[in-house]
Structure formats: structure tokens, C-alpha cells
Amino acid sequence: MPIVQAISERFTTSERDHYTKRLFAERTTTMGAVNMIDADLLRRLNQIVGRQHVSAGRADAEVYSYDASLAVAAPDAVVFPADTRQTADVVRAATRARVPYVPRGFGTNLSGGSVARRGGLVVGLSRLNRVLEVNPAGRYAVVQSGVTNLELQETLAPAGLFYAPDPASQKVATLGGNVGENSGGPHCLKYGVTSNHVLGLTVVLPGGEIVQAGGPALDPPGYDLRGVLIGSEGTLGIVTELVLRILPSPEAVITMLAVYDDHGAAARSVSAVIAAGIVPATLEMMDSTVIRAVEDSKPCGYPRDAAAVLIVEVDGPVAGLKHQAEQIRWICMSNGCREVREAKDAAQRNLLWSGRRGAFGAIARLAPSFLVADCTVPRTELPKALAQVAAIAERHRLAHGNVFHAGDGNLHPLLLFDSRNPEQVTRVHQAGDEIMRACVDLGGTISGEHGVGMEKIEAMRMIFSDHELDFQRALRRAFDPDDLLNPGKITPPDDGAAGVGLAGQAAGFRVQGPGLQDELTPVDVAEACDIVRRACRDGVVLLPVGGGSQLDSGVDSTPRPVLLRSTGLCSTIEYDPANQVIAAGSGTSLAVLGEVLAEHGQWLPVRPPGGGHRTLGGLTASGSSGPARLRYGTPRDLLLGLKFVSGTGEPIAAGGRVVKNVAGYDLTRLMTGSAGTLGFITQLTFRVSAMPECCTAVEASGSFDRCAAAAAELIQSKLEPTLVIAVPDRAELKADGNVAWRLIAGFEGFRETVDSQAAGCREIVDRVGLDVRPRREYQAKSGPCGEFFGLLQRSPFRVKANLPLDKVAGFVTDGEALPHEAAVLVDFGCGRILAGTESLTDEAWHRFCKTSHQAAGHAVLEKAPTEFIKQHDPFGTPDPSWQLMRRIKAVLDPHNVFAPDRVPKMK
Amino acid sequence: MEIEKQYDQIARCNRCGFCQVACPIFRATGHETGVARGRIALLRAIVEGRLEWDRTLEEPLFACLLCGACTANCFPAVGTADLILDARSQYLDQVGRNKLHKLLFTHLLPHPKRLRLAARAVALGKRTRLSDIARALGMLRIFGRDFPRAEEIVDRFPERAFRDSDEPRVVQGTGDLRLGYFVGCGTDILCPQVAEATLGILCEIAATVEIMPNCCCGLPPMSYGDQAAARELAAKNLRLFADGRFDFIVTDCSSCASFLKKYPSLFPEDDPRHDSARGWAAAVRDFPELVASTASGSPSRPMETEEVIATYHDPCHASRGQGIVRQPRELLRSLPGVEYRELPEADWCCGGAGSYALSHYDLSRKVLDRKIDAVERTGANLLVTSCPACIVQLSYGLRKRALPVRVCHIAEVIG
């Protein structure tokens, strides 16, 4: 009975001393001894935030020396800025004094991320605690980073809205912290994690510069900075404000408890449910240890003799939901389930959930301390992973329990121990390491949602090569050249194994082979690496190319660089239909991939302009998406991992093949939309999904105002359209004059749901006074608006405005914003306006940019003749974040070998 | 008990931080020393020898409201408030105590008469503006760091206390029970109108109500960390019950009720007073608890003609102290002509916490502001509660904001 032992064990004084010393091994001094903060800095901090908001006493050091992990290190002072400006001033002061600083929300980090490992300053963000704006029509909210997840939910709920990520710590975890860790939660199975729901960030960069990374309008030009910052665990910048996507809360919820006599059967049911094309909102699993602990502390009706239970919840439109629940019941029962209970009302649902929510608590009563491990494996490997966790815990004589996000393959083994017993602490750490290793060997990763921080820093070497770690260090250097922001986290120290490091490789390349021709098509990664190295040697510029559809996309491409084609890398590398994951070469076209997937009734839900000819690499590098993004997201939301050849000719892997992965910096998102400027993408791993059973377009025509009104209502309703667009109702899509418009709303999914949704949509358009047309079914692969994109693609000039959703209609009716005689497509669902014209005057482009900018959006020149591009800035109105992008480019591509002109710069 | 002996309890905090969600002080300061996790970390640092007893601990230990919200949100249910009480006691022994508190606890609180006299002096002072002069001279500071500012919290000091002698007074009623009415200092001195209302209702359910000549229940010195003084007061009160002549001892102060029920924990089991404390504790009832349990039919006095929208604030010592949550709400819902609206965060501390505002005026105000915001959101015009300290504090908050909301003890509403 290790649990009882753990409680009853008593410790000698010497053991206690030993533990105390271990706790402070990182920094043997607390404040007052060797203090990094000198009188000058302290005075400056007092000036900036006010004396009462600087804490520098011994007690302060003690209570800011920990977070919710086992990591401990005392800071020298804690400072609480009131706003972005003060935060920047504090950072500037610390930088000048060369003192490390660490951002901290409410200190619930589970990997030591908020602990001041090298001492210095803790920047407490608890005063940044205001919800600044809730904009239901724009589907976004603006909050300060010290607002807790639950506070935001409570602000949104009365308006029938919610913010999807719901980490278990949502009561106390701040949204800034959620961003740092890229938090998930039970509902991320259906809705995705934090990075799928953050639209923009206000960030104080190391050094004190303030930049906006994104905002309510999608796709700002250049690199996806917010994507890189999310999950960076407070090592790249301090987030002070967030723009978050908010959604209408679902119309109905059905919660079920599936009871099993064997936890393998429970794990199999999880895969089977997902494989059937159902996307439950949650799929949570608890094992017998946890079930009994819960029933012992606060009974909620779980059968005490069960080996495992699943909490399965489906949510969404009422129509079709019961059918989904029935299907789930059937799948569970045919996978060895004892019984499936359905919550009859809200009270029963709360009771079922109270056990899950109280699970950590129930376990916590069994022993003084517990370690929550956090690893992810492919869903189908869950039975193996659980068996290995049990074996490891037993080997280290540790009691354990499992309560976890089964649908995501995200394990949370809880290991019980007593933190006062050094020997037990050692065993727990060993077991934690072995669990990580086991999950990595099963194709998983070392952290699904709790981060690397300080506790998993050495485990980074389990999953990344020395070159890959070097690349990550380089990225960090681009943000923080002085290594003062949260040092000693995420990236393990460079042990020299990768050679001279990225920056040092500028010295020269010893590569064989002739000079490069105009166009190259490597057939494998080794050849691609060789080409890049030769390009570095010869000072040649490479332009990665897939299908070639973006060749003339808004960049000045003279002198013509050498084209590096991905079309030689066109094989499907791995397809795991049960886990809904596919890995393929970057030269694979969407059409070819689609054929492979169709054999299993699956698809990659992207329908970018350009259609099936687009390659996966090109699609990703350009970050393209069509209007169905409203429902399915973009490549950035669907990519699990990718591989590329870096600017120094090294193969680099980013991400992996599991749906939740927060190990290291999110290079996958950095590469997505980087337009071939940071590397040559060779392979991509996507999450795919079941092909929708039915696709229907509701179409209606009438004035633009009525179309816009219907679109606005649709977007704020409980309906779940896949896309909402409008085009002028004539063949060439010309918007001039008093022309009628056509509104198109697509619905995709199970037939019963789609039918009811389409009916609901028709009611809305009818009420607004539009003429409803006969219903039209379409193919999932092609979508309902391919023809319009074809027409726009052919125009010599193509411009795009990305706008907050609530600013789209105003932009169109402005009358001055759109170029005359333009063919127009208005994407209400994604806040985009595409326009193609035969000609574009300077003034028209300038107006387009200005109006976009004024509406808190941005304009991009997607296509124009070279002469025009030479004289204009294709990336619209300049932004301060462009400087940072250029630093990233300079560090990661030190020889400037990849497409230098495609990084936004002030002309 | 010294905190060194409570290392096991302290070590159960696994630093998850969930106590932060409902700690009114942490929500006001955002500072880790102001929340259970931080306070326990400091105690752990003392036990493990990283910190010593000195003045740096005063603020973390004494800024706690002892409201217990942390424990309600704690997975292993670490009893932080009890640990803090023990730590305060140890702090006073090690670092030193305030002489004035000593005076208050040993010479004033045990003697209701002297207390009433002192109250009359204050009342006189307030009416004659003497207190303004005292404030100007800085004299009031001796009562507590923030006393000069806190002094205005009590709007008007009633001229006369509810009890006017130290002799028991028995009132005949129309019911069956034999009740002892334990009159809390707050009710007696600050809210005599509540005591009148309570007495009226008790007379409906009791054959006899004895207005007890009790002294302070002992909670104030206990909270301050003076456990010996608290024990003395408890022992004094226990003597009033020696012959077990009541079916119940009822009080209309939830704080008193909660502490009276804890009397057994003040005496070791081999102390003869422990047994009598257990008998006493078993007989103690908080007012709403007793009224809800005596099925004397729902009170049905019609309210005023104006529309009454009532809401209810849970005193910490009622909800977490005694688990009394359902009863007052049922009573309010049963009132004819009253619309009941639930108060958001109804069980959050109002910041009154006995004499908390005297030493931590600013913090107390911040906690109160959050409470008043919540009250304002309900749109209620009647705010009901069951503790005089809450009544004084809530009235102050509403007065400062000039909100048209009346604060009442539940006895005043149903009586």
C-alpha cells in the first residue's frame, strides 16, 4: 500500500534539510544575499510602477519561487506593471541592467515555466485584469493577459457566447498563461487548442519594443508571429493583450457515461468513435484508481467496480445530435462497453462532470503530492501507452491513476508521492522521464499541453536532433539576443553537438557539385539539402515552388531566382486512417492526396483558390484557404507537423503526428504562410477528417445590404455554416452600379443536421427579404464557389482586404474602397474581400490600403504585373512587426538564400 | 498547536493555485502573499528553516480574512484558516503583541457592561464630533493602523445597547421550546433593532426565551491569534449553560454561532470543560437554521406596497462555517410579495471580517467594492444577511456608493 506509506512516512531532520537544499539548488541564495537587482534598477522599477507594486522582501522571494510544478527558484524582485506601457518600461529597465526577467500570470504552470530559474525579476501580470471589449458581430473579444479563462467565459456566457479552450485550470489560469502554454482542455477535441482561437496579441518584445501580432482581421502579411508566440512559454515576448475568437455557444449538449470492465476496450472505443466520423466535444477517460478515489471523496454515480469510464459529450445543433449520440452508444457497446448512461438533464450532466473536474482533487487526498505527467500518443496506441505507464509506475513503486483527454491521445498519469521525501522525488522524476520515453517510442511527444518549461528541458533531446534544437535556439535569438527573457527554459543548453551553430555556419560550405541551373527538382530530402548548401556557397537565391500558382503573387521577383520545385517529392509517406493522420511529400497535389484519402471516406478539408492542382507545400507556404475556413480552419489549423530544409541546408522536423503537441517552438506555424522565405518544405503531416455526408448551399439574391444583414445574423446565430459569401449576381461578378447580389451559405455534415440547418438558414434569408433560390447540393472537394475563384484568378490585378467580420459590409458599401469595375467576392464568414481588376491605378490601390487599415484590417496585393509591384508595396500599410520578421529571416536564413523579396519591408 | 507540528497538513498543499479563484484578498491584490498557497508556502519555509519569525510575516498572516473560501476550493482541503490562526498565535509569542489588544481582550470583551459603556462613549464621541478631534490628534490610531479612516464605517452608533443589565431576562412566548438567546456583541451594541426582531420571532416559536448575560463569544481574540483569551471567554460563557436549561442556544450572529459550535476544539479532551463544550455546541443554532427547522409555517407578513427585490449575502461563518446556505434562501423565497434574486458570488466575503477594516482599510474596501458591484448587478433593493459585522460593512459600502438598497438581518425581514 504505497499510498498509505506515503502519508505515514516521517522524515528525519537531515532528510528535510536535504530536500530544502535540493529545492534551492538552482539558486542557493534568496533575496538579500547575492542580489541581482541593484539600487539603481530598484529605483527605476519603483518609478515605473509605483513603490507599492514592487516586492523585494524575503517573504516575496519565497512565494514567487514556485508554480504548480515541482520546480523551484527564487527571484530577486517581483514587479507588477499596470499596462502594456509599464510592462515595456520594466523590460527596458531590466534589459539595460542585464537582469533576467520572467512573466507570470497566476503561477499555475505545470512545467516550471513561470519560475525565475536564473533569478532576477518576476513580472507579475495580475493587474492586467480587464476584459476590454466583447464584439459578438466581429466574433472576437479583447482582453488583458491577466484575465482568467473562467472570467472571460463568465463575461461571455450571458450573451450566449463562449471561448473554446477550457483547460482544467481555467478557474485560475490566466489567458496570458493559456497563450504561453498553448492550452487545450476537454473541449479541444472538437474545437482545437489555444492557437486555433487567438486572433492577435499585443506583445512586449525583449528590449521593450511593443508589437501587434495579428488582430481581429485574419492573416496579417508576413510571418505568423502570433503562431510562434503561442506556446512559446513566455520566452519570446510578454503578452499583455489578446484578441480572441469567440463563438456562439452550441444549441444543445448530450453527455454520456460509458462504463467498461477493461480499459483497453475503453481506449478502443475512443478510436472507433472518431474513426466513424463523429467529432465529440469531449472524450475523457478515467481509470479504476480515479473512479474509486472520486466515489470515495464525492460520489457522482460512477460504478466503483468499473475498470474505466469515458465521458463522451456531443454538442451542436439539436437536429442530428441524438443520432450522433445513438451512434456513439452503438460503437461503445460493440467495443466491449458494459453500459452507456445518458445524462437526462443539466443536474445529471453536472454530476457526471463533477467527478471529472474533481478527479485531481480526489487523487490529491490520497497522498501529499502528485505529479501530473503530460504526454501524447496517437489515439490507437492508447492501450499500449496505458499498459506501459502502469508498468513504469509499478517498477518505481509509485501509486498512480489516469484521468485524461482520450480523444486527443493526451495522457495525464498522476504519480503519487510525498514531496518531503527526496528519495520519492527522485523516483517520481525517473518514472516521469520513462513515461515520456515510452510515449515518444509509440509515436507521441513529451508534452501535449503543459509545456516544456524547466522540467522537460532535457527531454527535448528525445524528440529533436541537435540541428533542430539549434534552429529553435536561433529563432529564440531573433527575439531575445541577450537571453534575458525567461532563460533556461524550453531549449536545452547547446552541448556543441550540432557543430558551430546556425549563425557560425556562414563561414563557408564544403560542398561538391556544379553551379545551379534555372530550375531544380530534387527527388529526396538529401538532394534538397545539397542544393541549398550549394546555393549558400554560390550566393544563389532560391525560390521554392510547388504547382506554381503563386509565382506571380505580389512580389517583385527580379532578378529571377533559381526555382526549387517540390514536385519531385510527391509520395504519400504514411497514412493512418484510424488516427486520421496523413503524411505526404510537399509536392503532392491536393487532388492526388484526395484520391488516397477518399479510399477511406476521408478528406483534407481545405478548398483553397486554385483547387486540386495546388501542392501541399505551396498551399502551406502561402497559407491559402477558401471561405470554408469558417468551419474547417486553414492549413495552419490542420497541420500536425512538417519537415523542411533550413537556410543552411539542414533537414529540420517540426511538430509531429499527434493532435496535441507543445514541445518546443511552433515552427509548423512559423513555416505556414512564410511564402518560402525560411526554408524548403519537404513533407507535411495533416490531420484529416471524415468526408461530410452531405453538402448543401442555400442561395438567395437581393440587395447587398440585405445579403450583409442575413450574413451577420447567420454568423451570430446558433447555426453552423461552413461558409458564408456573397458575390454580385452576374457572370463577371462586377459590383458597380445598383447590381443585385447573391448570398451563398454552405452547410456540410450529417444529412439530418444539414437539412435542418439549411431550413434555419432559409428562414433567416427569407425574413431579411432576399429571394431564396432552389437548394443546391455540391461536392465536398470542389465546394460551391470554385467558379468565382477561377474568374478572380484570371484577372491581371488581384487585391485582398482582410477585415474584422463586423467591418466587411461597411467596406463594400463605402463606395470608395473597392477599385472600379472590379470583380468581387465578399467572404463574410472569414472577413475577407477579394477583388480582381483589369487595371489598378496608384490611387485605387492606395485607397484600398487606407480603407482596410482604417477598418483595423490590412490589404494585400496578391497579383499584379512586375512593373506595378516594383513601385508599390504589395504588403499594404507598413507595420512595426515587420522589423521583427526581418530579424527572424536574418537569423534563420543567414545567407538569405530563400526568396528574400517575400518578407514584408518598408519600401 | 505550533505550526512545526502541522508539517503534514502544510505539505498537503501541492501548489496547484486553485485557492486563488475565490480568495477575495488575492482578487484584490493579485499578490501571492495574499492567498492560501503563498501563506502556506511561508509556513513551510519556516518549518524548513528558510524563513524566521519576524515582521515580514505580519502582513501575509494578518491580511487573511479567515473566510475559508480557499479550503472550499482546495483539492486536498487544506485548512488554511486554522493554520493561519495557529501561526498568528505563534507570531504574537515570537514577535510580540499589541498592548491595546491585550486590554481589549482581557478587560473589555469578557465584561458586557464595560463594553456597553465603552460603546456609549464612542457613540457620544461620534455625535459630539469628539471623534473628529481625536482623529485630528491622531489618537485613534492606537486602535489599529487604519482606524482613523475605518471609524466612519459605522454610520450611527445606537445610543443604547439591546441589553441593559448583566442579569438574565426571561421573556414568555407562545411556542414550546426553551431557548437561550445568545446576544452577540455586534447585535447588542451596533444592531439592537436586529435583536428586537430576533426576540419577536423567537417568542413565536418558544415558550421561554432567556436573553443570556453572555460575554463575547471569543472569536475576535481567536482571530487575532490570542487563543488563551478566547478560551477564557468561552469558559465564562459555558458556565451559563451548566444546568442545561435550554433546548437550544440561538444567536442571530452567524459568526458567533459558528464559533460557539467550535468551543469543544478549544479545550483538550481531558479538560472537564471539553465535555460541557460539546453539550453546548450541540445545542447551538444559528437563527436561520432554527427558524427553518421549526416548521411553524412560513412567515407570511405582507411586505410594504413597494416592489421588493431581495438578495442574500452569505456570511462566511454561515455558509462555510456552518454549511447554512439553503435555509435563508428558502425563507426569503417563501415571503409573499418578494422577488428573490441570487447574488453573484453570494458566498464571497464582504471584507467585514470582524475588525478587519480597522487594520486593513484599503483591502477591506476593495473586497467590499467587488461585493457591492455584485449587489448592484442584481438590481435588488433589499440585501439580506445574518451577521451584524456583514450588515455594518455592507451598509457602509452601499452608503459610499449611494445605492438605494436597504440592508437587513433576516430576522428583520421575516419578523
Side-chain angles (χ1 to χ4, degrees):
Chain A
M1 288 298 292
I3 299 172
V4 178
Q5 276 170 19
I7 297 168
S8 61
E9 271 173 316
R10 290 288 180 275
F11 310 104
T12 62
T13 314
S14 68
E15 273 174 341
R16 213 178 281 161
D17 288 349
H18 171 90
Y19 178 63
T20 305
K21 277 180 197 134
R22 199 195 68 80
L23 276 180
F24 281 79
E26 290 278 345
R27 279 179 52 72
T28 45
T29 57
T30 50
M31 281 181 211
V34 183
N35 199 319
M36 289 177 138
I37 314 269
D38 63 16
D40 278 352
L41 178 55
L42 205 57
R43 199 175 311 119
R44 180 72 192 116
L45 294 174
N46 285 337
Q47 267 171 17
I48 295 167
V49 298
R51 191 178 292 278
Q52 70 275 33
H53 299 299
V54 178
S55 298
R58 281 177 38 236
D60 302 307
E62 187 67 34
V63 298
Y64 282 92
S65 67
Y66 54 78
D67 53 21
S69 71
L70 300 178
V72 175
D76 294 292
V78 191
V79 54
F80 298 90
D83 54 24
T84 305
R85 173 64 51 198
Q86 286 190 4
T87 308
D89 289 344
V90 166
V91 166
R92 211 167 287 128
T95 307
R96 194 169 304 133
R98 307 200 68 76
V99 166
Y101 50 98
V102 181
R104 179 182 173 105
F106 284 170
T108 56
N109 187 290
L110 286 164
S111 54
S114 39
V115 163
R117 186 170 195 177
R118 302 212 181 124
L121 273 184
V122 161
V123 184
L125 300 169
S126 57
R127 293 174 71 203
L128 298 168
N129 58 2
R130 283 182 303 137
V131 174
L132 301 173
E133 184 189 357
V134 174
N135 185 332
R139 276 201 179 193
Y140 68 85
V142 186
V143 301
Q144 291 183 312
S145 55
V147 173
T148 66
N149 183 297
L150 190 68
E151 282 170 334
L152 174 63
Q153 308 286 12
E154 284 172 348
T155 310
L156 297 175
L161 299 163
F162 79 116
Y163 169 65
D166 60 339
S169 55
Q170 65 174 178
K171 279 172 158 186
V172 280
T174 62
L175 289 159
N178 286 183
V179 163
E181 303 303 307
N182 193 8
S183 299
H187 283 81
C188 68
L189 174 60
K190 173 173 176 178
Y191 293 97
V193 294
T194 298
S195 61
N196 304 109
H197 296 277
V198 173
L199 299 172
L201 300 169
T202 301
V203 192
V204 175
L205 295 176
E209 190 189 347
I210 299 166
V211 298
Q212 305 289 332
L218 298 166
D219 299 333
Y223 302 139
D224 183 2
L225 292 178
R226 91 202 130 118
V228 178
L229 284 158
I230 296 166
S232 68
E233 304 189 24
T235 64
L236 300 182
I238 300 180
V239 173
T240 54
E241 280 179 29
L242 306 83
V243 184
L244 303 172
R245 172 180 291 126
I246 54 178
L247 300 169
S249 34
E251 197 176 22
V253 182
I254 298 176
T255 309
M256 289 168 286
L257 181 79
V259 183
Y260 291 85
D261 295 319
D262 166 36
H263 66 344
R268 280 197 303 280
S269 301
V270 169
S271 303
V273 167
I274 309 257
I278 304 168
V279 186
T282 69
L283 247 176
E284 299 284 297
M285 185 162 156
M286 283 171 272
D287 72 2
S288 54
T289 312
V290 174
I291 293 169
R292 280 198 289 272
V294 166
E295 287 298 308
D296 284 344
S297 63
K298 199 173 162 236
C300 54
Y302 301 161
R304 301 179 62 96
D305 60 339
V309 293
L310 292 177
I311 297 184
V312 193
E313 193 166 279
V314 285
D315 68 13
V318 172
L321 203 63
K322 269 213 157 56
H323 177 66
Q324 282 185 47
E326 273 315 305
Q327 260 188 300
I328 289 170
R329 178 191 296 273
W330 186 83
I331 292 167
C332 291
M333 291 313 286
S334 49
N335 274 282
C337 178
R338 186 202 294 176
E339 60 164 326
V340 178
R341 300 178 191 169
E342 191 178 308
K344 298 277 179 289
D345 52 31
Q348 287 191 9
R349 175 181 317 125
N350 279 336
L351 193 64
L352 283 186
W353 273 111
S354 74
R356 167 64 182 88
R357 283 193 289 258
F360 282 24
I363 286 281
R365 286 165 198 255
L366 301 181
S369 323
F370 62 89
L371 176 82
V372 191
D374 165 46
C375 299
T376 309
V377 295
R379 221 175 278 126
T380 49
E381 301 288 0
L382 275 176
K384 278 188 209 163
L386 288 172
Q388 295 197 18
V389 167
I392 291 166
E394 195 173 329
R395 198 157 59 241
H396 291 280
R397 290 173 287 123
L398 293 164
H400 84 290
N402 283 292
V403 43
F404 61 101
H405 316 302
D408 302 311
N410 189 185
L411 293 165
H412 287 320
L414 301 160
L415 301 171
L416 306 183
F417 68 109
D418 187 330
S419 65
R420 295 169 294 176
N421 181 329
E423 191 265 336
Q424 283 189 19
V425 173
T426 313
R427 272 192 274 139
V428 158
H429 278 299
Q430 277 168 355
D433 279 353
E434 284 172 34
I435 289 172
M436 281 191 278
R437 166 57 67 191
C439 291
V440 170
D441 290 346
L442 288 169
T445 190
I446 59 170
S447 179
E449 54 187 10
H450 296 171
V452 172
M454 168 171 167
E455 295 197 332
K456 293 187 172 178
I457 194 162
E458 283 304 316
M460 286 285 280
R461 300 189 204 271
M462 281 186 204
I463 47 171
F464 292 115
S465 73
D466 291 317
H467 285 296
E468 285 159 0
L469 289 175
D470 232 13
F471 193 86
Q472 299 202 25
R473 287 185 200 106
L475 174 64
R476 184 173 187 158
R477 246 188 342 269
F479 282 83
D480 183 17
D482 303 318
D483 194 27
L484 290 174
L485 175 53
N486 209 352
K489 311 287 174 72
I490 302 186
T491 44
D494 185 1
D495 56 11
V500 286
L502 215 57
Q505 287 170 11
F509 288 82
R510 290 191 197 86
V511 278
Q512 306 294 312
L516 300 171
Q517 302 147 5
D518 291 351
E519 193 171 318
L520 295 154
T521 310
V523 295
D524 58 26
V525 176
E527 189 183 349
C529 290
D530 184 61
I531 290 169
V532 174
R533 289 198 194 106
R534 276 189 283 155
C536 292
R537 178 195 64 188
D538 300 346
V540 170
V541 168
L542 298 171
L543 183 62
V545 181
S549 67
Q550 307 293 307
L551 260 184
D552 49 3
S553 285
V555 288
D556 170 11
S557 41
T558 49
R560 201 165 175 79
V562 171
L563 299 186
L564 183 56
R565 289 202 178 272
S566 64
T567 39
L569 306 165
C570 57
S571 56
T572 302
I573 292 154
E574 189 191 358
Y575 178 28
D576 181 352
N579 275 314
Q580 303 189 330
V581 170
I582 192 164
S586 57
T588 314
S589 71
L590 259 182
V592 169
L593 190 84
E595 281 167 29
V596 176
L597 292 169
E599 284 173 30
H600 287 88
Q602 296 181 339
W603 73 313
L604 178 65
V606 290
R607 290 192 292 251
H613 304 297
R614 301 288 300 273
T615 61
L616 299 181
L619 177 74
T620 303
S622 60
S624 304
S625 63
R629 167 186 202 159
L630 174 61
R631 170 82 180 271
Y632 300 118
T634 71
R636 102 189 257 289
D637 300 302
L638 300 164
L639 263 175
L640 302 178
L642 53 73
K643 293 182 177 174
F644 60 96
V645 177
S646 73
T648 53
E650 297 296 342
I652 304 287
R657 44 169 302 213
V658 283
V659 289
K660 273 160 89 181
N661 185 350
V662 296
Y665 296 115
D666 194 343
L667 301 182
T668 307
R669 290 202 165 80
L670 176 65
M671 296 303 289
T672 307
S674 66
T677 60
L678 294 177
F680 176 60
I681 299 173
T682 56
Q683 180 188 324
L684 302 111
T685 307
F686 282 103
R687 184 178 62 173
V688 295
S689 47
M691 189 74 96
E693 194 176 273
C694 162
C695 303
T696 285
V698 173
E699 298 187 274
S701 51
S703 69
F704 178 81
D705 288 344
R706 285 183 178 172
C707 286
E713 196 172 327
L714 202 49
I715 284 165
Q716 290 187 67
S717 73
K718 300 271 182 212
L719 298 175
E720 294 179 353
T722 300
L723 57 92
V724 184
I725 65 162
V727 288
D729 198 4
R730 44 159 104 166
E732 69 281 16
L733 305 183
K734 292 279 173 61
D736 292 298
N738 202 8
V739 65
W741 284 67
R742 175 152 47 131
L743 180 77
I744 305 170
F747 295 90
E748 303 176 11
F750 293 110
R751 180 164 293 281
E752 190 187 346
T753 317
V754 166
D755 284 350
S756 131
Q757 297 256 304
C761 177
R762 270 195 299 274
E763 260 175 48
I764 291 176
V765 292
D766 199 40
R767 195 181 329 126
V768 180
L770 291 168
D771 295 330
V772 186
R773 299 187 178 194
R775 165 177 172 157
R776 176 162 70 99
E777 304 234 327
Y778 59 88
Q779 293 290 312
K781 274 186 193 174
S782 51
C785 37
E787 47 181 311
F788 311 134
F789 284 113
L791 197 134
L792 288 168
Q793 299 285 93
R794 287 192 292 276
S795 306
F797 289 87
R798 206 168 69 236
V799 294
K800 178 169 81 176
N802 290 297
L803 303 161
L805 294 190
D806 57 325
K807 297 283 171 39
V808 171
F811 190 94
V812 175
T813 50
D814 180 292
E816 291 295 309
L818 284 166
H820 293 297
E821 290 287 306
V824 182
L825 186 153
V826 178
D827 186 345
F828 285 110
C830 305
R832 292 186 288 206
I833 294 165
L834 305 174
T837 61
E838 293 298 318
S839 62
L840 185 67
T841 62
D842 292 359
E843 204 220 331
W845 168 235
H846 181 69
R847 252 197 340 261
F848 192 78
C849 290
K850 196 175 143 203
T851 321
S852 306
H853 193 68
Q854 282 167 350
H858 33 78
V860 176
L861 183 60
E862 288 208 315
K863 179 183 172 190
T866 308
E867 280 311 303
F868 189 87
I869 290 170
K870 274 186 178 165
Q871 290 155 21
H872 300 83
D873 198 324
F875 299 105
T877 314
D879 187 272
S881 67
W882 293 4
Q883 307 269 16
L884 172 62
M885 293 180 192
R886 298 200 73 81
R887 287 204 298 276
I888 293 173
K889 166 78 170 159
V891 169
L892 298 183
D893 180 14
H895 308 290
N896 216 5
V897 69
F898 288 118
D901 296 321
R902 289 189 170 188
V903 188
K905 59 169 181 271
M906 319 331 192
K907 276 205 169 171
Chain B
M1 203 187 338
E2 296 92 75
I3 62 131
E4 284 79 2
K5 291 188 187 145
Q6 306 194 56
Y7 194 31
D8 280 357
Q9 177 76 299
I10 289 168
R12 295 191 74 86
C13 169
N14 50 42
R15 301 196 292 221
C16 70
F18 274 54
C19 46
Q20 297 173 122
V21 68
C23 175
I25 297 300
F26 182 76
R27 287 290 155 185
T29 64
H31 199 289
E32 187 83 20
T33 49
V35 72
R37 176 171 72 169
R39 295 183 172 121
I40 290 174
L42 293 175
L43 299 186
R44 187 167 177 155
I46 291 172
V47 176
E48 290 174 354
R50 287 191 300 281
L51 286 181
E52 282 160 13
W53 292 105
D54 62 24
R55 297 240 170 247
T56 56
L57 294 172
E58 180 173 339
E59 193 59 21
L61 290 180
F62 286 84
C64 174
L65 294 161
L66 304 173
C67 73
C70 46
T71 307
N73 282 280
C74 176
F75 287 144
V78 176
T80 304
D82 290 339
L83 286 170
I84 293 293
L85 284 181
D86 284 336
R88 285 182 183 176
S89 170
Q90 212 166 337
Y91 176 89
L92 296 181
D93 288 343
Q94 305 260 355
V95 187
R97 62 187 68 223
N98 184 331
K99 285 206 179 67
L100 193 84
H101 279 107
K102 191 83 193 157
L103 175 83
L104 182 69
F105 296 151
T106 53
H107 298 291
L108 221 47
L109 292 186
H111 309 287
K113 211 176 193 170
R114 292 187 206 162
L115 196 60
R116 282 195 294 272
L117 216 62
R120 290 196 68 166
V122 176
L124 192 71
K126 261 185 115 73
R127 262 194 312 282
T128 57
R129 321 292 281 169
L130 267 177
S131 63
D132 291 354
I133 299 165
R135 186 165 36 224
L137 294 173
M139 278 164 63
L140 291 170
R141 284 188 67 84
I142 59 165
F143 287 101
R145 191 181 59 184
D146 292 341
F147 190 86
R149 281 189 298 165
E151 189 247 358
E152 62 160 336
I153 293 174
V154 179
D155 186 23
R156 283 177 300 109
F157 239 87
E159 218 167 312
R160 291 191 49 208
F162 170 66
R163 294 182 298 184
D164 49 12
S165 91
D166 278 357
E167 292 304 311
R169 178 158 71 93
V170 179
V171 184
Q172 301 297 321
T174 56
D176 323 310
L177 295 169
R178 293 169 308 148
L179 297 177
Y181 175 24
F182 183 100
V183 186
C185 307
T187 315
D188 198 17
I189 292 166
L190 296 175
C191 310
Q193 79 285 3
V194 170
E196 296 292 352
T198 301
L199 186 61
I201 293 171
L202 292 183
C203 284
E204 287 174 24
I205 55 178
T208 56
V209 180
E210 178 187 314
I211 300 166
M212 296 168 70
N214 59 278
C215 63
C216 166
C217 66
L219 183 58
M222 187 70 187
S223 304
Y224 180 64
D226 194 339
Q227 300 187 4
R231 201 171 297 116
E232 283 314 308
L233 291 166
K236 197 157 184 272
N237 283 328
L238 281 177
R239 274 178 235 133
L240 300 173
F241 186 58
D243 55 359
R245 61 181 183 277
F246 309 124
D247 295 321
F248 298 114
I249 297 165
V250 59
T251 177
D252 48 10
C253 169
S254 291
S255 300
C256 293
S258 162
F259 191 64
L260 296 180
K261 290 177 180 178
K262 281 189 188 156
Y263 271 9
S265 68
L266 294 174
F267 305 101
E269 288 193 17
D270 52 2
D271 187 322
R273 290 174 296 184
H274 182 80
D275 279 342
S276 61
R278 283 179 53 171
W280 163 281
V284 169
R285 294 289 182 279
D286 197 354
F287 175 81
E289 189 183 18
L290 181 78
V291 172
S293 71
T294 52
S296 61
S298 55
S300 55
R301 201 186 69 163
M303 298 296 291
E304 302 89 300
T305 43
E306 59 164 330
E307 190 189 13
V308 176
I309 304 169
T311 192
Y312 181 77
H313 160 74
D314 290 290
C316 302
H317 286 105
S319 56
R320 283 175 298 274
Q322 306 175 79
I324 297 172
V325 175
R326 179 182 47 82
Q327 299 91 325
R329 289 173 171 75
E330 283 173 3
L331 287 170
L332 287 174
R333 283 209 177 89
S334 72
L335 291 178
V338 174
E339 181 191 342
Y340 175 75
R341 290 187 191 162
E342 183 64 21
L343 177 67
E345 300 177 347
D347 66 347
W348 279 54
C349 182
C350 63
S355 58
Y356 187 84
L358 301 190
S359 54
H360 295 87
Y361 179 79
D362 287 328
L363 268 179
S364 169
R365 269 306 295 276
K366 282 184 187 168
V367 174
L368 179 60
D369 279 343
R370 185 175 176 122
K371 178 59 76 177
I372 300 301
D373 286 344
V375 173
E376 195 170 8
R377 280 205 300 279
T378 62
N381 53 22
L382 179 66
L383 173 58
V384 184
T385 188
S386 64
C387 168
C390 299
I391 292 175
V392 169
Q393 172 85 346
L394 293 168
S395 306
Y396 176 57
L398 292 165
R399 197 165 70 237
K400 275 275 172 188
R401 297 265 199 99
L403 290 180
V405 182
R406 203 150 56 95
V407 187
C408 281
H409 189 279
I410 191 155
E412 296 175 273
V413 180
I414 63 176

